[in-house]
Amino acid sequence: MLFTIPMAIPSSTEAFVGQHHVEKVLSDFFTRSRGRAGRVSPRYLSLWESLEKCTLEGKRFRPRMVLAAYVHLGGNQLEAAAHVGAAFELLHTALIVHDDVIDLDFVRRGRDNVSGSYRRKAQEAGVSVNTAQHRGLSAGVIAGDLALSNAFVLLDSAGTSTEMNQALREILDDAVFASAAGEIIDLDFSIGSGSNALDEIIHMAALKTAAYSFECPLRAGATLAGAAPEVVQILGEFGRDIGTAYQLVDDLLGVFGNESETGKTVLGDLREGKSTVLIAFARETSVWDELSTLVGSPELTREQAERARTLLRECGAYDYALQTAQQYAERARTHLHSDVVPQRLQLALDPVIAESLHRVR
């Protein structure tokens, strides 16, 4: 039985406070960038158009976290907050573009990603398969670099004081620093380096996803609103735990999800042998002898994947991963309902717990 998703993270068409300000910041940024690129070369303009398309398809979840913390802690300068939110959205673009390069993925959300569009153009030009792939991956590296550097440009254009700008820059840098750490740890795991223990896998999830998607956007919004240090800290702890729960659920979706609803294949993680809590748990059980012959096989069939899912359920890995996600969600709830967090912010962020955890049944 596969998961379904009765409650999803809001899409870019579902409003949050200040969303239209964020959209305008991003639209103005790409209008300027396309103008600059067009004056350089039509080829460069094409890259920026691909990058813009990738960004526009985002769900705006990270700006939503920035604005939620900012507005519900008394902030009223939505234009400044929108620039901070847009900076985190552009960081998200950079990381997914680079992640696709790392994973040799050429499709995202069922369509060509940046690397995929450049690979296809090269193939249409008649070059070899390897050359086309190299061209696509190279374009992905360049596009991701542009998005990453311009995340800081957008942050700097928020119009805040020098002191505030420095504080926000440090938070955005924390997000980049943690994400890079999670990515390199994940790479090491992929070649069998280290023990891949359960606690290491969870730590990687916190670094790779929770920091830049939840913890740092919430800290940034609270800092911009002038919140007390203890409020900023507790929101960071909330973000770290709910972000970890989110990633654990995402790993479950990667194996047990409904493809028509997630837009993701349920074969990819199994074929890759991705290091997740599911796999780390199963590795210590009696099913591993059989499961290890399936996980990591590039030619894994749908029938074999179904067998792998059965084994993951039988050995308790499925239940363990889901229970662990629930535990992190409850820890997040405890942080959120601390006495130092205003009730209006608790009410605004409570749905995030449900959305992150109950994306699956």
Side-chain angles (χ1 to χ4, degrees):
M1 177 180 177
L2 299 184
F3 283 137
T4 58
I5 308 178
M7 181 185 300
I9 295 298
S11 71
S12 59
T13 60
E14 296 178 86
F16 57 85
V17 176
Q19 177 176 347
H20 69 281
H21 291 277
V22 174
E23 299 300 340
K24 187 175 187 308
V25 170
L26 289 170
S27 176
D28 289 348
F29 165 73
F30 279 107
T31 297
R32 291 192 305 271
S33 298
R34 282 188 281 103
R36 292 178 64 194
R39 291 190 291 273
V40 174
S41 166
R43 299 177 187 276
Y44 193 34
L45 173 59
S46 180
L47 180 67
W48 273 98
E49 289 172 341
S50 293
L51 186 59
E52 180 179 19
K53 181 180 178 182
C54 179
T55 304
L56 292 180
E57 292 175 343
K59 297 175 181 177
R60 305 294 185 263
F61 183 67
R62 291 140 197 93
R64 176 190 168 196
M65 294 297 96
V66 172
L67 269 294
Y70 179 73
V71 170
H72 294 286
L73 287 170
N76 56 18
Q77 300 296 317
L78 289 181
E79 185 66 25
H83 278 78
V84 178
F88 275 97
E89 186 66 19
L90 206 54
L91 172 60
H92 172 57
T93 298
L95 294 177
I96 63 173
V97 171
H98 280 160
D99 195 57
D100 283 347
V101 171
I102 292 168
D103 293 340
L104 296 178
D105 284 338
F106 295 90
V107 175
R108 181 169 285 272
R109 304 184 185 103
R111 295 188 292 274
D112 282 346
N113 57 19
V114 174
S115 293
S117 65
Y118 273 81
R119 182 183 68 167
R120 176 175 45 78
K121 291 175 184 177
Q123 289 172 331
E124 291 171 350
V127 303
S128 69
V129 172
N130 288 341
T131 299
Q133 177 168 296
H134 180 260
R135 184 175 188 271
L137 295 174
S138 298
V141 171
I142 297 166
D145 288 351
L146 287 170
L148 179 58
S149 64
N150 278 283
F152 285 90
V153 172
L154 281 180
L155 190 73
D156 291 343
S157 65
T160 60
S161 67
T162 301
E163 182 179 4
M164 177 60 72
N165 177 256
Q166 182 59 35
L168 293 172
R169 268 184 155 264
E170 289 176 2
I171 294 172
L172 189 62
D173 180 68
D174 284 346
V176 176
F177 196 81
S179 297
E183 199 71 71
I184 198 66
I185 292 170
D186 194 14
L187 281 175
D188 276 354
F189 284 168
S190 71
I191 60 172
S193 177
S195 62
N196 294 23
L198 285 165
D199 57 344
E200 291 180 305
I201 299 293
I202 293 172
H203 181 52
M204 177 189 69
L207 290 169
K208 189 174 176 181
T209 301
Y212 93 90
S213 295
F214 293 85
E215 177 187 351
C216 291
L218 287 166
R219 285 173 52 204
T223 298
L224 184 61
E230 58 266 27
V231 176
V232 177
Q233 179 180 343
I234 203 74
L235 284 178
E237 292 171 357
F238 163 76
R240 191 178 313 119
D241 282 341
I242 198 57
T244 301
Y246 179 94
Q247 183 57 52
L248 290 171
V249 170
D250 202 60
D251 289 340
L252 282 166
L253 283 170
V255 176
F256 293 93
N258 186 316
E259 292 180 337
S260 65
E261 295 180 342
T262 65
K264 297 179 178 180
T265 174
V266 292
L267 297 177
D269 286 359
L270 291 172
R271 285 175 172 172
E272 179 188 337
K274 184 177 179 182
S275 296
T276 65
V277 166
L278 282 169
I279 300 304
F281 185 94
R283 188 178 284 111
E284 303 302 319
T285 71
S286 60
V287 307
W288 185 244
D289 284 345
E290 180 181 355
L291 188 60
S292 63
T293 67
L294 303 172
V295 173
S297 170
E299 307 302 323
L300 186 76
T301 66
R302 289 195 174 274
E303 291 74 19
Q304 290 172 324
E306 186 57 39
R307 177 57 182 166
R309 283 189 286 271
T310 297
L311 292 171
L312 288 168
R313 286 184 180 277
E314 288 179 351
C315 75
Y318 173 98
D319 288 336
Y320 178 82
L322 190 57
Q323 290 165 7
T324 303
Q326 292 169 336
Q327 290 168 3
Y328 273 91
E330 285 308 309
R331 278 178 40 170
R333 193 186 308 279
T334 300
H335 294 314
L336 181 61
H337 289 274
S338 163
D339 291 340
V340 304
V341 180
Q343 187 175 20
R344 61 185 180 275
L345 182 54
Q346 293 179 21
L347 292 173
L349 292 178
D350 258 329
V352 175
I353 299 174
E355 291 164 5
S356 298
L357 187 61
H358 299 300
R359 295 181 295 148
V360 299
R361 281 287 186 264

